[in-house]
């Protein structure tokens, strides 16, 4: 749940819930680009190396974003939409062996 604070009225109010779809926001065109340009949105220091990476030799998988964290560990960022249309962002551990091979 998100809130806004009106400094003039000194009041807090709940933000109206909305959907990505209702604002014409697209996964690749918008969300992926925003994270590529501002990886701090994910709450940690990341250096984005590439997007839409698909040059693996043993799989046809494609990564949304590939990055390094502040200790040099690979960070695989996947944007996923669930059945309700909500987006989630994760660093799936099951894809790391693919990258490291």
């Amino acid at each position: 749940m998100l809130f806004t604070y009106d400094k003039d009225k000194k009041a807090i109010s709940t933000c109206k819930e909305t959907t990505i779809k209702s604002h014409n926001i697209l996964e690749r065109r918008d969300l992926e680009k925003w994270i590529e340009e501002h990886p701090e949105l994910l709450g940690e220091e990341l250096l984005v190396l590439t997007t839409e990476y698909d040059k693996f030799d043993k799989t046809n998988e494609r990564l949304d974003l590939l990055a390094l964290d502040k200790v040099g560990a690979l960070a695989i960022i996947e944007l996923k939409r669930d059945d309700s249309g909500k987006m989630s962002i994760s660093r799936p551990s099951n894809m790391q062996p693919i990258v490291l091979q």
Side-chain angles (χ1 to χ4, degrees), residues 63-78:
L63 304 177
D64 292 330
L65 295 117
L66 181 62
L68 289 175
D69 67 15
K70 67 181 179 180
V71 297
L74 284 173
I76 299 162
I77 298 113
E78 286 293 304

Side-chain angles (χ1 to χ4, degrees), residues 2-7 9-15:
L2 293 175
F3 300 91
T4 58
Y5 177 70
D6 185 321
K7 290 192 317 187
K9 295 179 182 178
K10 298 186 185 324
I12 295 174
S13 60
T14 306
C15 295

Side-chain angles (χ1 to χ4, degrees), residues 1 10 26 43 53-54 74 77 90:
M1 183 177 291
K10 298 186 185 324
L26 300 177
Y53 185 80
D54 65 354
L74 284 173
I77 298 113
S90 63

Side-chain angles (χ1 to χ4, degrees), residues 7-94:
K7 290 192 317 187
D8 296 331
K9 295 179 182 178
K10 298 186 185 324
I12 295 174
S13 60
T14 306
C15 295
K16 180 182 172 190
E17 188 170 324
T18 186
T19 65
I20 290 172
K21 185 177 180 178
S22 70
H23 295 282
N24 195 30
I25 296 172
L26 300 177
E27 179 183 326
R28 286 186 185 159
R29 184 193 74 197
D30 300 312
L31 295 178
E32 189 173 295
K33 191 69 173 167
W34 293 337
I35 293 169
E36 178 184 7
E37 293 174 358
H38 304 283
E40 68 275 8
L41 290 169
L42 300 179
E44 60 183 294
E45 292 180 43
L46 294 170
L47 171 65
V48 176
L49 302 173
T50 191
T51 62
E52 300 297 319
Y53 185 80
D54 65 354
K55 304 293 187 229
F56 300 109
D57 62 349
K58 297 182 181 180
T59 183
N60 291 326
E61 296 286 331
R62 178 194 53 80
L63 304 177
D64 292 330
L65 295 117
L66 181 62
L68 289 175
D69 67 15
K70 67 181 179 180
V71 297
L74 284 173
I76 299 162
I77 298 113
E78 286 293 304
L79 304 173
K80 297 295 175 204
R81 187 181 312 271
D82 67 15
D83 293 338
S84 70
K86 293 182 180 176
M87 290 292 301
S88 66
I89 300 169
S90 63
R91 289 177 59 172
S93 59
N94 65 329

